Amino acid sequence: MSTLPAAPPPSRSPREPVSGSVWRAPGVPLLVAMTVLAFSGYAALLPVAPLWAVHGGAGSVGAGLVNGVLMLVTVLTQLVVPTALRRIGWAPVLAAGMLLLGLPSAALALSDGLLPVLVLSAVRGLGFGVVTVTGSALVAELVEPRRRGAAIGAYGLAIAGPQVLLLSAGPWIVEQLGYRVVFSLGLLPALGVVPAVLLARRLDHVPEARERAPYGRLLHPMGLLLAVTLAGGALITFMAPMSSSAALSTVALLLLTVAAAVARWRVGALADRFGPRPFLWPLVLLTAAGMAVVAWAVRDPQATAVLPLLLGAGLVGVSYGGLQNLTLVLAFRTVSRPHYGSASAVWNIGFDAGTGLGAVAVGVVAAGSSFTTALLVAGAVSLLTLPLALLRRGPQEG
């Protein structure tokens, strides 16, 4: 186990209760700065890297592989990050993650060939896997449990802000200013090394666990997360092809992402005050209701119902963001500090898996029937998790 260079002791422990806004809690401003830089680079390239491959002559399959490789390597990396934190320490792991996510963006400008783009996507996946696991684990390390919901909300807003702005703006920036501007934005995570290293100096190394990670305890929040991200992932993937208007699908996606960001932020304070469980079952029902409304809105492929589509997207956005926060709160409640990294890894894998399943499953069902049927199936999957949402506090929950 590595030992980090000693830093001057802070005036209070990172996990000591503090007063005032959670945004000013020790270490949280550095975490927010690191997160904004990391996700700005990630979001800018997510829609543009496949376009760059198409620019080089790749077809639709090749373009799809670009982000497919990114997410595959991300998930594989997430599996080993908790061990790396224990054996190597916070500073080198965080610094490596930010550099691996950011620096490949500069190399993208050298070639638009499919193979180089895929290799660089794989390298970025290594960095993104590190950033996603360490980011949510840092929330648990920095903030005491009674304020953790609000801290997860602040962290979620730092993630969502860049994505709302840059996911939709990336292709427009390419059209107006060229690829190199987006590649420059993709370098932003490398600048995050500075707040990452400063943040790591506030932290102890991760203690060795005396028992195996309690993965079985995490199945409950993961079931809820998988269902809602399946629904959200389906809408994010298919909003454009199932809507009769490109402008309408853009507005609906913007509404969904903004609603998710606000919900993930605001539900945290409520969870700290009342606990997460009172809000689980209403959000599960909201997911099913929102998917049903969207399914009704797209029943005519030539004439999408505008208001129902926007209403449904907003409803799913609220549940999508709210359940992200609450399931992460529950995940940390079920484990001790040595397993925060494992809980974070499982949560992030669940999020990515649910998003991928939503894209694949809804696509398969829609191909055999219609988008309306596929969305109703996705809503029904969410409804099946209602018994999990109604469970009382488990014996292992801290």
Side-chain angles (χ1 to χ4, degrees):
M1 183 187 304
S2 66
T3 303
L4 298 179
S11 58
R12 60 164 62 93
S13 165
R15 289 175 297 279
E16 183 181 333
V18 293
S19 58
S21 170
V22 73
W23 293 89
R24 295 191 296 272
V28 170
L30 290 171
L31 173 61
V32 169
M34 183 188 82
T35 302
V36 168
L37 289 169
F39 278 85
S40 292
Y42 165 77
L45 285 178
L46 196 64
V48 170
L51 287 178
W52 184 236
V54 172
H55 181 273
S60 59
V61 173
L65 283 173
V66 173
N67 286 338
V69 167
L70 172 73
M71 296 315 300
L72 174 62
V73 178
T74 293
V75 171
L76 294 176
T77 303
Q78 287 167 342
L79 294 171
V80 301
V81 172
T83 301
L85 287 173
R86 284 192 294 269
R87 294 183 179 178
I88 303 173
W90 282 102
V93 172
L94 283 173
M98 301 302 286
L99 292 173
L100 289 169
L101 181 58
L103 292 182
S105 183
L108 275 173
L110 301 177
S111 174
D112 57 6
L114 180 59
L115 182 58
V117 173
L118 291 178
V119 170
L120 292 171
S121 291
V123 176
R124 291 176 56 238
L126 291 171
F128 193 57
V130 171
V131 167
T132 51
V133 172
T134 55
S136 46
L138 281 166
V139 176
E141 288 284 340
L142 292 169
V143 182
E144 73 281 2
R146 68 183 179 86
R147 304 181 72 200
R148 196 168 285 158
I152 290 172
Y155 171 67
L157 200 61
I159 291 174
Q163 295 194 78
V164 169
L165 293 174
L166 292 173
L167 274 176
S168 56
W172 180 86
I173 295 173
V174 167
E175 183 178 337
Q176 300 297 319
L177 302 173
Y179 282 97
R180 292 182 184 276
V181 175
V182 179
F183 295 158
S184 298
L185 292 172
L187 285 168
L188 287 174
L191 301 180
V193 169
V194 175
V197 172
L198 292 174
L199 184 57
R201 296 187 67 193
R202 298 191 59 88
L203 300 166
D204 304 324
H205 57 256
V206 178
E208 288 286 353
R210 297 183 179 179
E211 72 283 344
R212 296 183 62 185
Y215 294 115
R217 302 180 198 170
L218 298 169
L219 293 178
H220 169 216
M222 289 315 97
L224 294 166
L225 180 66
L226 274 168
V228 75
T229 53
L230 186 149
L235 293 189
I236 290 169
T237 302
F238 295 109
M239 186 67 76
M242 70 186 179
S243 171
S244 59
S245 165
L248 177 58
S249 63
T250 299
V251 173
L253 280 175
L254 182 63
L255 182 60
L256 185 150
T257 54
V258 170
V262 173
R264 187 172 179 182
W265 171 37
R266 298 306 303 167
V267 79
L270 296 173
D272 289 338
R273 184 174 180 184
F274 301 105
R277 292 193 173 276
F279 305 100
L280 295 176
W281 66 267
L283 290 174
V284 168
L285 293 178
L286 200 64
T287 306
M291 294 299 283
V293 173
V294 175
W296 187 82
V298 301
R299 68 193 188 284
D300 183 352
Q302 306 304 317
T304 304
V306 175
L307 291 181
L309 183 71
L310 297 179
L311 173 62
L315 293 176
V316 174
V318 170
S319 61
Y320 185 60
L323 284 171
Q324 286 176 45
N325 185 309
L326 299 175
T327 53
L328 188 55
V329 170
L330 282 173
F332 286 135
R333 284 189 172 199
T334 63
V335 300
S336 58
R337 187 189 168 207
H339 296 301
Y340 285 165
S342 297
S344 176
V346 170
W347 186 91
N348 279 282
I349 291 169
F351 181 91
D352 294 332
T355 302
L357 283 172
V360 173
V362 167
V364 169
V365 176
S369 54
S370 67
F371 277 117
T372 292
T373 301
L375 295 179
L376 290 173
V377 170
V381 170
S382 177
L383 202 57
L384 289 175
T385 65
L386 187 59
L388 290 177
L390 292 170
L391 284 177
R392 294 184 177 183
R393 174 178 169 142
Q396 304 290 351
E397 197 175 311

